[in-house]
């Protein structure tokens, strides 16, 4: 059995009961030593799973969906970021609450998490519908300078895709700059806002909206999708949050260390934009059509026009044409 098959089997065994499963029993079913079982359990935790251990009784998988408990499960999981969740049942937009906290000097790693938003914001001034059952949160970051800042939005998309993949084994794709798609339907969106004064970054607000168990409004049913729809299961949201935060922590560290090449390389592996014919709407109001050829080192999109010329789109929105 390879590690992935073992992990799958381990998840299967732990999910089949609400009770503890002794380490010795896991060891004998999986044909492993107890220390190897322990290592496998650590692997599960790194993927976002919440596994409780008891010295005599063994291991137990926790299924937690109650977002008001999130803080208990994200404290101390980051190596670079010190996560702390500020949970609200209901709000206008988590971006606004996070902004207020950031202005008051809240530390990097603070997260505003809401069960429901009534004035959720999307990119380019659009609204974001955020009903109960989804994962809607804003993370406050305080990078020291503006270097690599444009890549932050790619980092967030990458963290969502990798987080979902490592927890649920579901492979999703990245549409430039940072929509998360499954079969061309939108699963998650990312909004990066912030305050920069004289080249000094005061704070960055990284907003992530992920459709999990929420009902989608009828008008979005064909173009959006939820994790529940993809997996045909109700998905406990705290492990999903943990898994995404673990990846954000990892990639943010990569970014702060200036390893931009690694981020771009990873991003391209999950890209569903490169190679496609696209129409781009730039923030300055231009419309450009051509083949999405590559991502530049600053995260902008390189489009090859019909006449062979290349246009670089720094910010904006695109539509996949085929
Ligand atoms: C987009 O794709 O247009 C971006 C959507 C971003 C939605 C998230 S949900 C959490 C945070 N709070 C908001 O009001 N918006 C972002």
């Amino acid at each position: 059995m390879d590690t992935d098959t073992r992990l799958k089997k381990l998840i299967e065994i732990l999910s089949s009961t609400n009770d503890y499963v002794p380490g010795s029993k896991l060891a004998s079913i999986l044909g492993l030593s107890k220390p190897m079982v322990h290592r496998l359990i650590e692997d599960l935790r790194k993927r976002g799973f919440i596994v409780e251990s008891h010295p005599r009784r063994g291991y137990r998988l926790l299924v937690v969906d109650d977002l008001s408990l999130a803080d208990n499960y994200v404290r101390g999981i980051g190596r670079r970021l010190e996560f702390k969740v500020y949970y609200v049942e209901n709000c206008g937009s988590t971006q606004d609450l996070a902004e207020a906290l950031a202005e008051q000097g809240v530390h990097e790693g603070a997260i505003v998490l809401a069960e429901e938003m009534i004035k959720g914001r999307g990119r380019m001034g659009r609204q974001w519908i955020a009903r109960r059952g989804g994962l809607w949160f804003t993370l406050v970051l305080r990078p020291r300078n503006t270097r690599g800042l444009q890549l932050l939005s790619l980092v967030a998309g990458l963290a969502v895709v990798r987080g979902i993949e490592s927890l649920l084994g579901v492979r999703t794709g990245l549409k430039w700059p940072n929509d998360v798609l499954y079969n061309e339907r939108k699963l998650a969106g990312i909004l990066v806002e912030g305050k920069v004064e004289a080249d000094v970054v005061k704070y960055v607000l990284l907003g992530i909206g992920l459709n999990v168990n929420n009902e989608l409004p009828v008008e979005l049913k064909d173009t959006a999708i939820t994790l529940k729809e993809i997996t045909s299961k109700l998905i406990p949201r705290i492990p999903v949050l943990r898994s995404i935060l673990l990846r954000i922590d990892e990639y943010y560290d990569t970014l702060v260390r200036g390893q931009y090449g690694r981020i771009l390389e990873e991003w391209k592996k999950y890209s569903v934009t490169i190679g496609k014919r696209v129409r781009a709407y730039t923030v300055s109001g231009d419309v450009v059509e051509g083949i999405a050829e590559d991502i530049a080192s600053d995260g902008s999109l390189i489009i090859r026009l019909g006449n062979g010329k290349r246009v670089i789109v720094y910010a904006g929105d695109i539509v996949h044409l085929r």
Side-chain angles (χ1 to χ4, degrees), residues 30-67:
L30 296 166
L32 297 173
S33 65
K34 273 170 77 174
M36 279 166 89
V37 168
H38 185 75
R39 238 174 287 149
L40 223 45
I41 294 279
E42 279 311 309
D43 246 18
L44 277 191
R45 289 185 174 133
K46 280 194 205 120
R47 288 173 185 241
F49 288 92
I50 308 168
V51 190
E52 262 190 359
S53 49
H54 185 278
R56 273 174 296 105
R57 300 170 72 191
Y59 302 100
R60 182 162 78 127
L61 195 62
L62 292 191
V63 178
V64 193
D65 185 58
D66 182 349
L67 295 185

Side-chain angles (χ1 to χ4, degrees), residues 106-126:
V106 81
H107 68 90
E108 175 169 78
I111 295 165
V112 177
L113 172 68
E115 180 64 62
E116 184 180 26
M117 297 190 296
I118 46 172
K119 268 201 170 153
R121 292 210 301 272
R123 292 179 61 238
M124 321 241 335
R126 287 185 289 248

Side-chain angles (χ1 to χ4, degrees), residues 93-95 117 120-123 128 137-138 186 189-190 208-209:
S93 161
T94 53
Q95 295 290 108
M117 297 190 296
R121 292 210 301 272
R123 292 179 61 238
W128 180 263
F137 65 95
T138 301
K186 185 151 163 173
I190 287 146
I208 298 186

